[in-house]
Amino acid sequence: MRPAGELSGSVTLQGAKNSALKLMAATLLAEGEHVLRNVPRITDVEIMSELLTSMGVDVRRAPDGALLLTQPGLGACIPEAPYELVERMRASIVVLGPLLARFGRARVALPGGDNFGSRPIDMHLRGLEALGATFDFAHGVIEARADLLMGAHIVLDFPSVGATENLLMAAVLAKGTTIIDNAAREPEIADLAAFLNQMGATVEGAGTSTVTVEGVDRLGAAEHEVIPDRIEAATYLAAVGVAGGEIIIAGARPDHMDMLIHKLGSMGLRVAEVSEGVWANRAGRRLTAVDVATLPYPGVATDYKPLLVAMLSVAEGVGVVTENVFASSRYAYVAELQRMGADITLAEHHAVVRGVAHLSGAPVKAPDIRAGAALVVAGLVAEGETVVSGAHHLDRGYEDMAAKLVGVGADVRRV
Ligand code: EPU
């Protein structure tokens, strides 16, 4: 990519990756044909489709684009998640809760580390144990069993997104009442609960810290539309933040991005709700630096952080960025931004970003999805040409990012 001046026009959001993957897993809870609309065409969805197919589920796209997932009867489904697929996508662990709830057993390969460090699943397992599951570990595989799941009061040590989702999907078919305290509050949790309720579950409080589930005996197939991807929205907000101009992000839900919009406002990016979604405009010469700390929702998401670091790299002043969600600090992309001339000092989970007037284009490498997006954003204003390798990371989470950026006037090409 090369700088191409200010952005203008409109970009339409895809469905949220981090919701779609969990909704797909949730279909394991009931026999029949489920219909999910607005599921993005991205690699992670393909991996989840492969995983479900390997279990005996029929997954295909309808002519209108909806994803149809047909769950066979109990006898025809194999409740196993093999290593080859779990290793390609750690989020595969969210099949554990629904498999235990519907089949009373599951074999799931243990996820390993990834480019931003090991991500433990102790909270998932402790919560499922409280519901009555037992686990054996051998040869890198979790053997899970639960003759009967029983409702329980679970307090999470930390509002983990994945643990909240796994427990929610196990609790809907457990006997009695489950209360999940210190639950994650991300919009994707409320989306999952809405789908589960559509299937016949009784979930209350999703989106708050206390989620209450009244177990039911059985669930049925359902239809649901995935919420828009707020991280993708943030990517285009960052793009207009660095390049300037005025764009509409169609489908964006500003109520899912309150804290981010507030931060961006302090940096000089004007963001407002419009009937199509969100309007954003940077009229000033450069963004202004601010300090940012990531936190569980409704705080600034850790997935926005690389985008914010890219914006701060070319802002006026100094911003201190603090990672509070992941123990490993997720700053692998900083060395790449430094190659482009960014002035960033790292100290444990902090990054001190001193804005520079100009970045310079360079070959850089995307270490993961969000970091890759941040490098693309930086490339939009780096003098000369920037080549981001490792673009397969982008495909895991973004449906045709290059084309969408071209649509708002950027000079980006996928090679
Ligand atoms: N954690 C534990 N034990 C657990 C579970 C989590 O210690 O049993 C820790 C993690 O190590 C981490 C923190 O708790 O330090 C938060 O992890 P969480 O479980 O909330 O994250 P996740 O469910 O694994 C999802 C998203 C991530 C996003 C995080 C945080 C999906 C598929 N992934 O991961 O998104 O960064 O929540 O918001 O929903 C991405 O989209 O690129 C991505 C990585």
Side-chain angles (χ1 to χ4, degrees):
M1 66 221 65
R2 289 174 172 277
E6 295 191 341
L7 303 183
S8 71
S10 166
V11 54
T12 302
L13 291 184
Q14 65 188 38
K17 166 178 87 77
N18 290 349
S19 191
L21 295 173
K22 323 308 168 60
L23 297 171
M24 290 173 73
T27 65
L28 286 166
L29 286 162
E31 194 176 327
E33 186 183 83
H34 301 260
V35 182
L36 294 178
R37 304 196 181 279
N38 206 23
V39 174
R41 294 174 190 272
I42 53 175
T43 318
D44 275 11
V45 163
E46 278 168 28
I47 299 174
M48 184 57 91
S49 298
E50 270 183 60
L51 178 60
L52 295 176
T53 303
S54 77
M55 294 181 191
V57 182
D58 179 50
V59 186
R60 62 203 155 84
R61 287 269 178 187
D64 67 357
L67 196 69
L68 310 178
L69 301 103
T70 310
Q71 294 291 338
L74 282 184
C77 197
I78 311 147
E80 290 187 13
Y83 179 67
E84 307 80 74
L85 293 168
V86 175
E87 180 263 337
R88 283 171 65 199
M89 187 178 67
R90 291 186 39 101
S92 309
I93 192 69
V94 293
V95 299
L96 183 58
L99 287 179
L100 267 175
R102 178 146 172 248
F103 303 95
R105 65 192 173 88
R107 292 187 83 233
V108 177
L110 271 170
D114 61 18
N115 288 348
F116 46 89
S118 79
R119 284 196 269 166
I121 53 163
D122 53 312
M123 280 187 260
H124 301 233
L125 301 184
R126 257 205 316 277
L128 292 169
E129 262 169 4
L131 296 175
T134 56
F135 302 103
D136 280 314
F137 302 90
H139 314 295
V141 172
I142 310 170
E143 293 265 6
R145 289 204 161 268
D147 293 334
L148 179 67
L149 289 175
M150 293 284 287
H153 186 178
I154 300 161
V155 184
L156 295 178
D157 290 349
F158 182 91
S160 153
V161 173
T164 303
E165 291 164 336
N166 244 335
L167 294 175
L168 192 51
M169 288 189 273
V172 286
L173 286 177
K175 213 167 178 54
T177 310
T178 298
I179 298 172
I180 310 170
D181 256 327
N182 200 20
R185 291 182 277 169
E186 273 70 3
E188 291 75 19
I189 307 277
D191 203 31
L192 174 61
F195 180 52
L196 293 170
N197 285 343
Q198 196 66 32
M199 291 168 77
T202 311
V203 181
E204 277 179 23
T208 74
S209 300
T210 305
V211 180
T212 307
V213 184
E214 289 297 337
V216 295
D217 289 338
R218 51 174 300 145
L219 296 169
E223 185 169 340
H224 184 78
E225 178 164 339
V226 182
I227 55 170
D229 198 311
R230 63 198 166 99
I231 322 282
E232 192 200 19
T235 307
Y236 302 119
L237 288 173
V240 72
V242 298
E246 182 174 341
I247 63 168
I248 299 270
I249 305 176
R253 291 270 305 258
D255 55 320
H256 289 170
M257 303 185 288
D258 276 339
M259 203 72 100
L260 176 74
I261 290 174
H262 176 73
K263 272 286 159 202
L264 295 176
S266 316
M267 293 178 78
L269 184 72
R270 292 195 291 160
V271 181
E273 180 165 9
V274 288
S275 59
E276 305 96 303
V278 149
W279 165 90
N281 162 246
R282 198 204 82 205
R285 212 172 53 82
R286 271 170 82 182
L287 292 172
T288 310
V290 290
D291 294 340
V292 192
T294 65
L295 281 172
Y297 193 83
V300 172
T302 180
D303 290 338
Y304 299 148
K305 190 182 61 176
L307 298 164
L308 287 158
V309 170
M311 283 191 268
L312 290 171
S313 296
V314 289
E316 189 112 46
V318 183
V320 179
V321 180
T322 305
E323 172 63 51
N324 291 314
V325 175
F326 282 95
S328 61
S329 47
R330 294 184 86 183
Y331 284 120
Y333 55 95
V334 161
E336 306 297 311
L337 286 173
Q338 285 165 335
R339 299 193 64 251
M340 298 173 73
D343 181 352
I344 304 171
T345 309
L346 291 180
E348 294 175 1
H349 59 296
H350 303 288
V352 179
V353 190
R354 294 181 177 79
V356 295
H358 301 285
L359 292 175
S360 83
V364 288
K365 203 166 154 193
D368 64 63
I369 308 176
R370 310 304 172 192
L375 294 172
V376 171
V377 165
L380 296 180
V381 288
E383 285 166 1
E385 188 173 77
T386 299
V387 178
V388 181
S389 62
H392 61 278
H393 285 296
L394 291 171
D395 299 334
R396 289 191 55 181
Y398 290 89
E399 203 178 81
D400 225 351
M401 177 192 273
K404 288 191 185 183
L405 285 170
V406 168
V408 287
D411 180 356
V412 182
R413 201 156 43 91
R414 181 67 191 260
V415 285

